[in-house]
Amino acid sequence: MRLLSVPIVLALCVAAAPVSAAGLRDRLYDPGDGVLVVAHRACHRAAPSRGFERAVPENSLAALERCVALGVDLVEIDVRRTSDGQLIIMHDAKVDRTTDGKGRVADQTLAQIQALRLKDGEDEAPPTLEAFLAAARGRILVNIDLKGPYAAEAAAIARRVGATEWVLFKAKARFGAPPLADQALYRDLAFMPMVEAKAARTPGDLADIAQRQASGARQIPAIETVALRGPGFAAVRDAARAARIRVWTNTLAAKGWRGVLDQSGDRQALRDPDRAWGRLIAQGASIVQTDHPAALLDYLERRGLRGHAPSAIATAGLPPSS
């Protein structure tokens, strides 16, 4: 079964010491249990404040190990399918940028992909989805961005490694669509809808998408906001609050002039974290995806926002919620 033609993301929640697997799932489903940190393409950047002086390859097992060591809540990875139908970890459609090879992932077999080596790595090939999940199991939450209609295949792999209780799929929700979490594919999995700015014309309609998605028979843990700003973000946030679910936001740096002007992205956050990360958290975000997870962890710990309810923001002196 192939579900939807939109980008779908799978997240696998597994135990990470000292929190039990059930405890990690409980944190994800509890909007009052502090701010969760998501590492985009895993923890590949240097983190000197935490003792990691050099970078490692993105989407690699080495980057996974760094996420575990840092205490990141979720690690995000990207999944593509080889010519012989195997799911591997790779962001780009081509292997050129991140490996010593050339060509499209879709044109190469699994054996050809595993003969490659990741740049700046320690003799590591691009891992398979199954190998990555097996390495992460029992240690960290994993967020998987599927770069094609691979939902059924990814779900089968999650079931094969015994992770169904902590699997979180997500997909873009359309205006008027019924609760996607109630679809048959998710019978033993969790689901999180994504609400993007272009999904509706008015804040009220964006709120309606969020309310409808949260009204199904199956509970959802969060709603991901995609390019939502101002009244649109506030409308979805309020709907999420009413449903007692988390709000996920991304601070990934935009390209070109948008990145220069973006006051809530990673570039701004590294210069002035209160104005970027702090303002988003004060506005209601409780899951933040970033390319700089160590810096975000440092910031949250300084502000006392790790393992504390977001109401702690009021005493942390962050910018007020809109």
Side-chain angles (χ1 to χ4, degrees), residues 102-145:
K102 293 186 180 297
R104 292 172 53 83
V105 172
D107 295 334
Q108 303 187 50
T109 66
L110 176 60
Q112 289 173 313
I113 293 292
Q114 295 198 311
L116 303 176
R117 288 297 176 266
L118 293 169
K119 293 179 179 178
D120 302 320
E122 297 180 0
D123 196 31
E124 182 179 339
T128 64
L129 174 59
E130 185 159 357
F132 195 97
L133 295 187
R137 184 178 54 218
R139 308 168 73 201
I140 194 171
L141 304 157
V142 180
N143 177 265
I144 304 172
D145 186 350

Short mmCIF file of all heavy atoms in Angstrom, two decimals, residues 102-145:
data_model
loop_
_atom_site.label_atom_id
_atom_site.label_comp_id
_atom_site.label_asym_id
_atom_site.label_seq_id
_atom_site.Cartn_x
_atom_site.Cartn_y
_atom_site.Cartn_z
N LYS A 102 29.16 8.94 -7.51
CA LYS A 102 28.38 9.84 -8.35
C LYS A 102 27.12 9.13 -8.81
O LYS A 102 27.07 7.90 -8.88
CB LYS A 102 29.18 10.30 -9.57
CG LYS A 102 30.37 11.19 -9.23
CD LYS A 102 31.03 11.73 -10.49
CE LYS A 102 32.23 12.62 -10.14
NZ LYS A 102 31.78 13.82 -9.36
N GLY A 103 26.09 9.91 -9.13
CA GLY A 103 24.88 9.35 -9.70
C GLY A 103 23.69 9.38 -8.75
O GLY A 103 23.80 9.70 -7.57
N ARG A 104 22.53 9.04 -9.30
CA ARG A 104 21.28 9.05 -8.55
C ARG A 104 21.15 7.79 -7.69
O ARG A 104 21.51 6.70 -8.12
CB ARG A 104 20.10 9.14 -9.51
CG ARG A 104 20.00 10.46 -10.26
CD ARG A 104 18.92 10.41 -11.33
NE ARG A 104 17.64 9.96 -10.79
CZ ARG A 104 16.77 10.75 -10.17
NH1 ARG A 104 17.04 12.05 -10.04
NH2 ARG A 104 15.63 10.27 -9.71
N VAL A 105 20.59 7.99 -6.51
CA VAL A 105 20.33 6.85 -5.63
C VAL A 105 19.41 5.86 -6.34
O VAL A 105 19.62 4.64 -6.29
CB VAL A 105 19.68 7.32 -4.31
CG1 VAL A 105 19.23 6.12 -3.47
CG2 VAL A 105 20.64 8.20 -3.53
N ALA A 106 18.38 6.38 -7.01
CA ALA A 106 17.38 5.52 -7.63
C ALA A 106 17.94 4.68 -8.77
O ALA A 106 17.30 3.71 -9.21
CB ALA A 106 16.21 6.36 -8.14
N ASP A 107 19.13 5.02 -9.26
CA ASP A 107 19.73 4.27 -10.36
C ASP A 107 20.76 3.25 -9.89
O ASP A 107 21.39 2.58 -10.71
CB ASP A 107 20.39 5.23 -11.35
CG ASP A 107 19.40 6.15 -12.03
OD1 ASP A 107 18.21 5.76 -12.15
OD2 ASP A 107 19.79 7.26 -12.44
N GLN A 108 20.97 3.13 -8.58
CA GLN A 108 22.00 2.25 -8.05
C GLN A 108 21.40 1.20 -7.13
O GLN A 108 20.40 1.45 -6.44
CB GLN A 108 23.06 3.07 -7.30
CG GLN A 108 23.71 4.14 -8.17
CD GLN A 108 24.86 4.84 -7.49
OE1 GLN A 108 25.76 4.20 -6.96
NE2 GLN A 108 24.85 6.17 -7.52
N THR A 109 22.01 0.03 -7.11
CA THR A 109 21.56 -1.04 -6.23
C THR A 109 22.06 -0.79 -4.81
O THR A 109 22.96 0.03 -4.58
CB THR A 109 22.08 -2.40 -6.71
OG1 THR A 109 23.52 -2.42 -6.58
CG2 THR A 109 21.69 -2.67 -8.15
N LEU A 110 21.51 -1.55 -3.89
CA LEU A 110 21.98 -1.45 -2.51
C LEU A 110 23.46 -1.80 -2.42
O LEU A 110 24.22 -1.13 -1.71
CB LEU A 110 21.17 -2.37 -1.60
CG LEU A 110 21.62 -2.43 -0.14
CD1 LEU A 110 21.54 -1.06 0.50
CD2 LEU A 110 20.79 -3.46 0.63
N ALA A 111 23.90 -2.82 -3.14
CA ALA A 111 25.31 -3.21 -3.11
C ALA A 111 26.21 -2.08 -3.60
O ALA A 111 27.28 -1.83 -3.03
CB ALA A 111 25.53 -4.46 -3.94
N GLN A 112 25.78 -1.38 -4.64
CA GLN A 112 26.56 -0.25 -5.15
C GLN A 112 26.62 0.89 -4.13
O GLN A 112 27.66 1.51 -3.94
CB GLN A 112 25.97 0.24 -6.47
CG GLN A 112 26.18 -0.72 -7.63
CD GLN A 112 25.43 -0.27 -8.87
OE1 GLN A 112 24.24 0.08 -8.81
NE2 GLN A 112 26.13 -0.25 -10.01
N ILE A 113 25.50 1.17 -3.47
CA ILE A 113 25.45 2.22 -2.46
C ILE A 113 26.37 1.87 -1.28
O ILE A 113 27.12 2.72 -0.78
CB ILE A 113 24.01 2.45 -1.96
CG1 ILE A 113 23.13 3.03 -3.08
CG2 ILE A 113 23.99 3.34 -0.72
CD1 ILE A 113 23.48 4.44 -3.49
N GLN A 114 26.35 0.63 -0.87
CA GLN A 114 27.15 0.25 0.30
C GLN A 114 28.63 0.11 -0.02
O GLN A 114 29.44 0.01 0.90
CB GLN A 114 26.59 -1.03 0.91
CG GLN A 114 25.18 -0.82 1.47
CD GLN A 114 24.76 -1.88 2.45
OE1 GLN A 114 24.89 -3.07 2.18
NE2 GLN A 114 24.23 -1.47 3.59
N ALA A 115 28.97 0.16 -1.29
CA ALA A 115 30.40 0.21 -1.67
C ALA A 115 30.95 1.63 -1.58
O ALA A 115 32.17 1.82 -1.62
CB ALA A 115 30.58 -0.34 -3.08
N LEU A 116 30.07 2.62 -1.45
CA LEU A 116 30.49 4.02 -1.33
C LEU A 116 30.92 4.31 0.10
O LEU A 116 30.62 3.57 1.03
CB LEU A 116 29.34 4.95 -1.72
CG LEU A 116 28.73 4.76 -3.11
CD1 LEU A 116 27.54 5.70 -3.30
CD2 LEU A 116 29.77 4.99 -4.20
N ARG A 117 31.62 5.44 0.26
CA ARG A 117 32.00 5.89 1.59
C ARG A 117 31.58 7.35 1.76
O ARG A 117 31.75 8.18 0.87
CB ARG A 117 33.51 5.75 1.81
CG ARG A 117 33.93 4.29 1.97
CD ARG A 117 33.29 3.68 3.21
NE ARG A 117 33.56 2.27 3.40
CZ ARG A 117 32.77 1.29 2.97
NH1 ARG A 117 31.66 1.57 2.28
NH2 ARG A 117 33.08 0.04 3.23
N LEU A 118 31.02 7.64 2.93
CA LEU A 118 30.61 9.00 3.24
C LEU A 118 31.82 9.90 3.38
O LEU A 118 32.85 9.50 3.95
CB LEU A 118 29.80 9.01 4.53
CG LEU A 118 28.44 8.31 4.47
CD1 LEU A 118 27.86 8.17 5.88
CD2 LEU A 118 27.47 9.07 3.57
N LYS A 119 31.72 11.12 2.85
CA LYS A 119 32.83 12.07 2.96
C LYS A 119 33.04 12.47 4.42
O LYS A 119 32.09 12.61 5.18
CB LYS A 119 32.53 13.31 2.11
CG LYS A 119 32.52 13.04 0.61
CD LYS A 119 32.20 14.30 -0.17
CE LYS A 119 32.20 14.04 -1.67
NZ LYS A 119 31.84 15.25 -2.44
N ASP A 120 34.30 12.66 4.77
CA ASP A 120 34.68 13.08 6.13
C ASP A 120 34.28 12.06 7.18
O ASP A 120 34.17 12.39 8.36
CB ASP A 120 34.06 14.44 6.48
CG ASP A 120 34.49 15.52 5.49
OD1 ASP A 120 35.67 15.52 5.11
OD2 ASP A 120 33.64 16.35 5.12
N GLY A 121 34.05 10.82 6.75
CA GLY A 121 33.68 9.78 7.70
C GLY A 121 34.83 8.86 8.03
O GLY A 121 35.96 9.06 7.58
N GLU A 122 34.56 7.89 8.84
CA GLU A 122 35.55 6.90 9.22
C GLU A 122 35.17 5.57 8.60
O GLU A 122 34.69 4.65 9.26
CB GLU A 122 35.64 6.81 10.75
CG GLU A 122 36.11 8.11 11.38
CD GLU A 122 36.19 8.03 12.89
OE1 GLU A 122 35.88 6.95 13.44
OE2 GLU A 122 36.58 9.02 13.52
N ASP A 123 35.36 5.48 7.28
CA ASP A 123 35.07 4.27 6.53
C ASP A 123 33.63 3.80 6.73
O ASP A 123 33.36 2.63 6.96
CB ASP A 123 36.04 3.16 6.96
CG ASP A 123 36.06 2.00 5.94
OD1 ASP A 123 35.86 2.27 4.75
OD2 ASP A 123 36.24 0.85 6.36
N GLU A 124 32.69 4.75 6.62
CA GLU A 124 31.28 4.42 6.79
C GLU A 124 30.52 4.58 5.48
O GLU A 124 30.66 5.59 4.79
CB GLU A 124 30.64 5.31 7.86
CG GLU A 124 29.18 4.96 8.11
CD GLU A 124 28.53 5.83 9.19
OE1 GLU A 124 29.26 6.41 10.01
OE2 GLU A 124 27.28 5.91 9.20
N ALA A 125 29.74 3.56 5.14
CA ALA A 125 28.86 3.63 3.98
C ALA A 125 27.53 4.24 4.38
O ALA A 125 27.17 4.24 5.57
CB ALA A 125 28.64 2.23 3.41
N PRO A 126 26.76 4.77 3.43
CA PRO A 126 25.40 5.21 3.77
C PRO A 126 24.62 4.05 4.37
O PRO A 126 24.53 2.98 3.77
CB PRO A 126 24.82 5.63 2.41
CG PRO A 126 26.02 5.99 1.58
CD PRO A 126 27.08 5.02 2.00
N PRO A 127 24.07 4.21 5.56
CA PRO A 127 23.38 3.09 6.21
C PRO A 127 22.01 2.83 5.61
O PRO A 127 21.39 3.71 5.01
CB PRO A 127 23.26 3.54 7.66
CG PRO A 127 23.26 5.03 7.59
CD PRO A 127 24.14 5.40 6.43
N THR A 128 21.55 1.60 5.77
CA THR A 128 20.16 1.29 5.41
C THR A 128 19.25 1.79 6.52
O THR A 128 19.68 2.02 7.67
CB THR A 128 19.95 -0.22 5.25
OG1 THR A 128 20.18 -0.86 6.52
CG2 THR A 128 20.88 -0.81 4.20
N LEU A 129 17.98 1.96 6.19
CA LEU A 129 17.01 2.35 7.21
C LEU A 129 16.97 1.33 8.32
O LEU A 129 16.95 1.67 9.51
CB LEU A 129 15.63 2.52 6.58
CG LEU A 129 14.48 2.80 7.55
CD1 LEU A 129 14.73 4.07 8.35
CD2 LEU A 129 13.16 2.89 6.79
N GLU A 130 16.96 0.06 7.96
CA GLU A 130 16.87 -0.98 8.98
C GLU A 130 18.08 -0.96 9.91
O GLU A 130 17.94 -1.09 11.14
CB GLU A 130 16.73 -2.35 8.34
CG GLU A 130 16.50 -3.47 9.33
CD GLU A 130 15.88 -4.70 8.73
OE1 GLU A 130 15.56 -4.70 7.53
OE2 GLU A 130 15.70 -5.69 9.47
N ALA A 131 19.27 -0.76 9.35
CA ALA A 131 20.48 -0.71 10.19
C ALA A 131 20.45 0.49 11.12
O ALA A 131 20.85 0.39 12.29
CB ALA A 131 21.72 -0.68 9.31
N PHE A 132 19.97 1.61 10.61
CA PHE A 132 19.92 2.81 11.45
C PHE A 132 18.95 2.62 12.60
O PHE A 132 19.25 2.95 13.75
CB PHE A 132 19.54 4.03 10.61
CG PHE A 132 19.81 5.34 11.28
CD1 PHE A 132 20.97 6.05 11.00
CD2 PHE A 132 18.93 5.87 12.21
CE1 PHE A 132 21.24 7.26 11.64
CE2 PHE A 132 19.19 7.07 12.85
CZ PHE A 132 20.35 7.77 12.56
N LEU A 133 17.76 2.10 12.30
CA LEU A 133 16.78 1.91 13.36
C LEU A 133 17.25 0.88 14.38
O LEU A 133 17.01 1.04 15.58
CB LEU A 133 15.43 1.48 12.76
CG LEU A 133 14.73 2.50 11.87
CD1 LEU A 133 13.34 2.01 11.49
CD2 LEU A 133 14.65 3.87 12.52
N ALA A 134 17.92 -0.15 13.91
CA ALA A 134 18.45 -1.14 14.84
C ALA A 134 19.49 -0.52 15.76
O ALA A 134 19.54 -0.82 16.96
CB ALA A 134 19.04 -2.31 14.06
N ALA A 135 20.34 0.36 15.23
CA ALA A 135 21.37 1.01 16.04
C ALA A 135 20.75 2.00 17.02
O ALA A 135 21.27 2.22 18.12
CB ALA A 135 22.37 1.72 15.15
N ALA A 136 19.63 2.63 16.64
CA ALA A 136 18.99 3.64 17.48
C ALA A 136 18.07 3.03 18.53
O ALA A 136 17.80 3.66 19.56
CB ALA A 136 18.19 4.60 16.61
N ARG A 137 17.61 1.83 18.28
CA ARG A 137 16.59 1.21 19.13
C ARG A 137 17.03 1.18 20.60
O ARG A 137 18.12 0.74 20.93
CB ARG A 137 16.32 -0.22 18.66
CG ARG A 137 15.20 -0.93 19.42
CD ARG A 137 14.97 -2.32 18.85
NE ARG A 137 16.20 -3.08 18.83
CZ ARG A 137 16.54 -3.93 17.85
NH1 ARG A 137 15.76 -4.08 16.81
NH2 ARG A 137 17.67 -4.59 17.94
N GLY A 138 16.13 1.66 21.44
CA GLY A 138 16.41 1.67 22.86
C GLY A 138 17.24 2.83 23.34
O GLY A 138 17.63 2.86 24.51
N ARG A 139 17.50 3.82 22.45
CA ARG A 139 18.44 4.87 22.82
C ARG A 139 17.96 6.28 22.52
O ARG A 139 18.39 7.21 23.18
CB ARG A 139 19.77 4.62 22.09
CG ARG A 139 20.31 3.22 22.29
CD ARG A 139 21.45 2.93 21.33
NE ARG A 139 22.65 3.65 21.72
CZ ARG A 139 23.65 3.91 20.89
NH1 ARG A 139 23.56 3.56 19.61
NH2 ARG A 139 24.71 4.54 21.32
N ILE A 140 17.13 6.49 21.50
CA ILE A 140 16.78 7.84 21.07
C ILE A 140 15.53 7.79 20.20
O ILE A 140 15.21 6.74 19.62
CB ILE A 140 17.95 8.50 20.30
CG1 ILE A 140 17.77 9.99 20.13
CG2 ILE A 140 18.18 7.80 18.96
CD1 ILE A 140 19.01 10.71 19.57
N LEU A 141 14.82 8.89 20.10
CA LEU A 141 13.72 9.03 19.15
C LEU A 141 14.30 9.30 17.77
O LEU A 141 15.27 10.05 17.65
CB LEU A 141 12.84 10.21 19.56
CG LEU A 141 12.24 10.22 20.96
CD1 LEU A 141 11.90 11.65 21.38
CD2 LEU A 141 10.99 9.38 21.02
N VAL A 142 13.70 8.70 16.74
CA VAL A 142 14.19 8.90 15.37
C VAL A 142 13.08 9.44 14.48
O VAL A 142 11.99 8.88 14.44
CB VAL A 142 14.73 7.59 14.77
CG1 VAL A 142 15.23 7.81 13.34
CG2 VAL A 142 15.83 7.00 15.63
N ASN A 143 13.36 10.53 13.81
CA ASN A 143 12.42 11.15 12.88
C ASN A 143 12.92 10.93 11.47
O ASN A 143 14.04 11.32 11.15
CB ASN A 143 12.32 12.65 13.19
CG ASN A 143 11.43 13.36 12.21
OD1 ASN A 143 11.90 13.90 11.23
ND2 ASN A 143 10.14 13.37 12.47
N ILE A 144 12.10 10.31 10.62
CA ILE A 144 12.57 9.89 9.30
C ILE A 144 11.75 10.58 8.21
O ILE A 144 10.54 10.44 8.14
CB ILE A 144 12.48 8.37 9.13
CG1 ILE A 144 13.26 7.70 10.25
CG2 ILE A 144 13.02 7.95 7.77
CD1 ILE A 144 13.07 6.22 10.30
N ASP A 145 12.44 11.33 7.37
CA ASP A 145 11.82 12.06 6.27
C ASP A 145 11.91 11.21 5.02
O ASP A 145 12.98 11.04 4.44
CB ASP A 145 12.55 13.39 6.08
CG ASP A 145 11.89 14.29 5.06
OD1 ASP A 145 10.98 13.82 4.35
OD2 ASP A 145 12.29 15.46 4.95
#
